[in-house]
Amino acid sequence: MNAVTSCAKLHDCRDAFVTVLERLSADNPRIVAVCNDSVGSSKLGGFRARWPDRLVNVGIAEQNMVGVGAGLANGGLLPFVCGAACFLTGRSLEQIKADIAYSNANVKLIGISSGMAYGELGPTHHSIEDFAWTRVLPNLPVIAPCDSVETAAAVEWAAHYDGPVFLRLSRVGVPDLLPSGHTFELGKANLLRDGDAITLVANGTVTHRILKAADLLAAEGIEARVLNMATVRPLDLDAVVAAARETGAILTAEEHSTFGGLGSAVAELVVAEAPVPMKILGVPGIFAPTGSAEFLLDEFGMSPAAIAEAAVALIARKPSRA
Amino acid sequence: MQPNDLDRIAQQIRLRDLQAVFEAGAGHIGGEMSAIDILTALYFRVLRIWPEQPKHPDRDRFVLSKGHVALALYVTLAKRGFIPEEEIGTFLKPHSRLNGHPNCTKVPGIETNTGPLGHGLPVAVGMAKAAKLTRAKYHTYALTGDGEMQEGSNWEAISSAAQFGLDNLTLIIDHNRFQQGAALKDTNNLAPFPAKLEAFGWDVTEINGNAMDEVVPALEKRGSRPHCIVAHTNKGHGISFMQDKVDWHHKVPNDEQYKIAVAELSEAL
């Protein structure tokens, strides 16, 4: 069990991404950054200042960006293709499928400002469909780190992994939850708190919210298990099945549509391996109204208090053990 | 290898391609026949490649963006020694690695997976850009269809190739004037191509893409800008009744047509 560090300071995970990217790039001349004009929003200014030739900016042309990434990898380079998650995945999904996943190109896709990070800019800029679009593609790990520690570890891991990766980052500040020195393992959930009444599962910007919900539940005498499940694909089968068997109910929460994301992935496993009552929290299949990401997460029932309330209701649905 | 030898090889590839389409009962024969002279010139004269080392870092890159003519590439690769010639008989059969569009994870000599149109050129731009960044000497070629140029992603790539100064990139447009449903001119007529490419900062050469003595020098041409070859070709080239008929985009000859086609191609051998 990982020790959970309590820290009120909020971190923009993009900072951890570029810090590690620049550290790795100093030692590995094969690393190049590719972007769609998103030098600022991907925080690549520092990278560009140090290695101007290694920043391949194709301009506002995401299909070309992803294809160029595949070609750079073919030429022996290690491209980190960075863009707002909504455009990177939505505009160039077919390139991700054919050029990256099917071709098994060693390209790291970095989706910036995912979920509803661009809250007030509206649904055109929200990326609450990207888990659904990407997790159906073979060969493509889909990862949404929960804090800056896990972001740093996942970037380090991705740079050494021989194959495509989709890393889904936010710009919304989150507290550090994992201990420093944490090592990322693909397809392994992190047990942040143990319990047997229910399991709460989340990733990305929502993990700290389920952890707070577990605190609220504990105050009521309900011990919830809390899993940070950064890897949406390949999913941690053992952790999900154990959660179902040992706690009898699973609540998932994500900054994504309730259709096709983390909750759906967990449900697919649960229904096949160990059916138990589930609740999937997320954006309920609508275009979100105006508001910040934090406001919208609360609006869609993902405040710690609302998650705790949903957990209590779900526990009530557990079959009684006669 | 001289133009006459290359012509003979191209006809052999056409004949094998025709046989494979007939046997498999599927294929994109019209666009295969139009492109085979270009493929032959590339693989038997122009490309610096080592079939026994298909991933050699210094190899020239060729991207078949019009991936639906994969069979023509398979036959060419087999004849050049990348895959066994007898394997062509497995085309489209269950579990064959030779499906209707090329797969780089299974077939040696394939650089990237294509099939959806408008994908190959952006990847080729990345390959050429990588050579610039690593000071590698290889040259990158991409072959698109003329109808395929309707895909906007190609123009994103064309613009970036000029911006990046990719004088190590050659785009060949197989301008056979027909797409699946109708003639290019009756669909979304991007022709004439040269002024459009020149406006984007490319050098352009127009050739008869079915004349080896024009194809080879165009492919070997080097300049200071990205190079586009507008290859005027005939859909179904070499088989009289297929030539310039939109139906032969992916039609399969019947027994009688097959005999005529074999006779015509064999005559030219």
Side-chain angles (χ1 to χ4, degrees):
Chain A
M1 180 171 169
N2 287 292
V4 176
T5 55
S6 66
C7 181
K9 189 171 185 299
L10 301 183
H11 300 275
D12 178 340
C13 291
R14 293 177 301 172
D15 293 321
F17 161 60
V18 293
T19 299
V20 176
L21 182 69
E22 289 186 35
R23 176 168 55 75
L24 296 171
S25 299
D27 294 331
N28 185 352
R30 291 172 55 237
I31 294 178
V32 291
V34 187
C35 72
N36 56 339
D37 192 38
S38 60
V39 181
S41 56
S42 298
K43 295 214 170 196
L44 291 169
F47 184 97
R48 177 171 63 183
R50 294 176 72 177
W51 304 287
D53 294 345
R54 288 161 64 184
L55 179 72
V56 180
N57 184 351
V58 301
I60 304 165
E62 290 76 20
Q63 297 179 68
N64 190 41
M65 171 174 70
V66 173
V68 164
L72 290 165
N74 175 287
L77 296 172
L78 181 54
F80 281 71
V81 175
C82 311
C86 55
F87 310 131
L88 173 67
T89 60
R91 181 67 73 98
S92 40
L93 183 58
E94 191 182 75
Q95 277 75 15
I96 294 175
K97 173 186 168 185
D99 309 355
I100 306 293
Y102 183 36
S103 296
N104 204 23
N106 191 14
V107 173
K108 315 308 165 183
L109 301 165
I110 313 295
I112 302 287
S113 305
S114 61
M116 298 176 293
Y118 284 128
E120 297 89 340
L121 298 189
T124 54
H125 283 56
H126 295 171
S127 194
I128 57 164
E129 306 86 3
D130 51 18
F131 285 152
W133 291 340
T134 57
R135 79 176 182 90
V136 294
L137 299 175
N139 295 343
L140 184 68
V142 177
I143 301 161
C146 70
D147 66 4
S148 69
V149 175
E150 191 173 30
T151 301
V155 173
E156 177 102 33
W157 170 86
H160 294 96
Y161 173 77
D162 186 18
V165 174
F166 173 50
L167 199 56
R168 185 194 203 243
L169 304 181
S170 182
R171 63 162 66 205
V172 174
V174 286
D176 280 345
L177 304 175
L178 295 168
S180 65
H182 170 76
T183 307
F184 179 80
E185 276 186 81
L186 182 68
K188 283 286 167 217
N190 312 113
L191 182 65
L192 298 186
R193 179 185 185 118
D194 208 358
D196 58 9
I198 185 171
T199 301
L200 311 181
V201 180
N203 61 20
T205 54
V206 187
T207 297
H208 76 93
R209 288 170 172 260
I210 59 166
L211 205 48
K212 286 183 190 123
D215 286 340
L216 297 176
L217 290 168
E220 302 295 320
I222 299 168
E223 289 301 326
R225 181 176 297 183
V226 176
L227 293 178
N228 172 51
M229 200 155 290
T231 310
V232 175
R233 178 171 179 164
L235 202 64
D236 188 338
L237 183 141
D238 292 342
V240 171
V241 171
R245 294 200 174 130
E246 294 164 17
T247 73
I250 297 177
L251 179 151
T252 65
E254 61 199 295
E255 193 177 333
H256 187 276
S257 170
T258 53
F259 293 80
L262 173 67
S264 299
V266 170
E268 287 161 12
L269 256 185
V270 166
V271 77
E273 301 293 334
V276 293
M278 275 192 69
K279 176 73 180 174
I280 297 173
L281 295 177
V283 182
I286 62 167
F287 291 117
T290 305
S292 69
E294 299 287 12
F295 166 81
L296 291 169
L297 287 172
D298 289 349
E299 180 83 357
F300 294 128
M302 288 180 279
S303 67
I307 293 169
E309 204 175 309
V312 169
L314 184 60
I315 290 167
R317 288 176 48 208
K318 286 168 71 169
S320 56
R321 291 179 186 174
Chain B
M1 201 159 293
Q2 298 307 304
N4 284 348
D5 301 319
L6 292 171
D7 278 330
R8 199 180 61 254
I9 292 169
Q11 288 305 89
Q12 290 165 351
I13 291 172
R14 280 196 169 84
L15 191 55
R16 187 66 192 92
D17 186 285
L18 166 74
Q19 288 167 341
V21 168
F22 182 69
E23 285 160 14
H28 287 83
I29 196 162
E32 282 156 15
M33 295 300 143
S34 69
I36 280 172
D37 297 300
I38 295 159
L39 293 174
T40 302
L42 282 167
Y43 279 88
F44 289 87
R45 165 72 181 252
V46 177
L47 293 178
R48 214 160 51 113
I49 42 173
W50 299 271
E52 66 288 354
Q53 293 179 73
K55 296 280 185 194
H56 194 295
D58 297 331
R59 71 194 183 278
D60 286 337
R61 268 53 168 191
F62 172 69
V63 176
L64 182 70
S65 194
K66 48 178 289 187
H68 54 286
V69 304
L71 175 57
L73 182 57
Y74 298 150
V75 175
T76 306
L77 288 173
K79 202 159 183 59
R80 189 68 175 81
F82 283 87
I83 56 174
E85 293 205 61
E86 57 271 22
E87 192 174 345
I88 298 301
T90 73
F91 178 58
L92 304 186
K93 290 199 172 147
H95 291 290
S96 168
R97 58 180 175 168
L98 308 182
N99 75 23
H101 297 92
N103 184 342
C104 66
T105 67
K106 293 185 177 168
V107 184
I110 307 288
E111 297 288 354
T112 184
N113 294 356
T114 52
L117 298 174
H119 282 242
L121 190 57
V123 178
V125 166
M127 292 167 175
K129 177 68 175 169
K132 289 289 179 193
L133 288 169
T134 61
R135 296 188 173 79
K137 297 294 180 210
Y138 66 79
H139 196 88
T140 300
Y141 295 87
L143 177 64
T144 63
D146 51 2
E148 179 183 359
M149 296 309 290
Q150 291 157 353
E151 291 282 8
S153 51
N154 284 317
W155 299 94
E156 295 180 3
I158 285 165
S159 183
S160 64
Q163 177 76 28
F164 295 151
L166 300 181
D167 56 7
N168 55 352
L169 174 67
T170 299
L171 160 66
I172 310 133
I173 301 175
D174 182 3
H175 191 11
N176 63 27
R177 293 164 282 115
F178 292 91
Q179 40 197 112
Q180 186 199 105
L184 181 77
K185 69 176 170 54
D186 297 327
T187 307
N188 179 357
N189 192 9
L190 279 165
F193 289 100
K196 296 180 178 72
L197 271 296
E198 281 163 358
F200 275 91
W202 285 53
D203 289 333
V204 179
T205 306
E206 283 192 87
I207 60 164
N208 176 345
N210 297 125
M212 208 53 88
D213 57 351
E214 294 187 36
V215 173
V216 170
L219 292 171
E220 289 178 340
K221 179 176 141 75
R222 296 290 182 267
S224 58
R225 310 201 295 176
H227 181 211
C228 175
I229 300 169
V230 178
H232 295 273
T233 58
N234 301 310
K235 201 147 186 171
H237 186 82
I239 302 169
S240 59
F241 61 85
M242 289 186 191
Q243 196 149 310
D244 292 352
K245 297 281 194 303
V246 69
D247 291 354
W248 285 98
H249 178 78
H250 55 200
K251 202 169 137 178
V252 178
N254 61 28
D255 290 356
E256 193 185 339
Q257 289 165 329
Y258 177 66
K259 275 179 203 154
I260 297 168
V262 168
E264 287 186 11
L265 290 175
S266 304
E267 198 177 321
L269 273 177

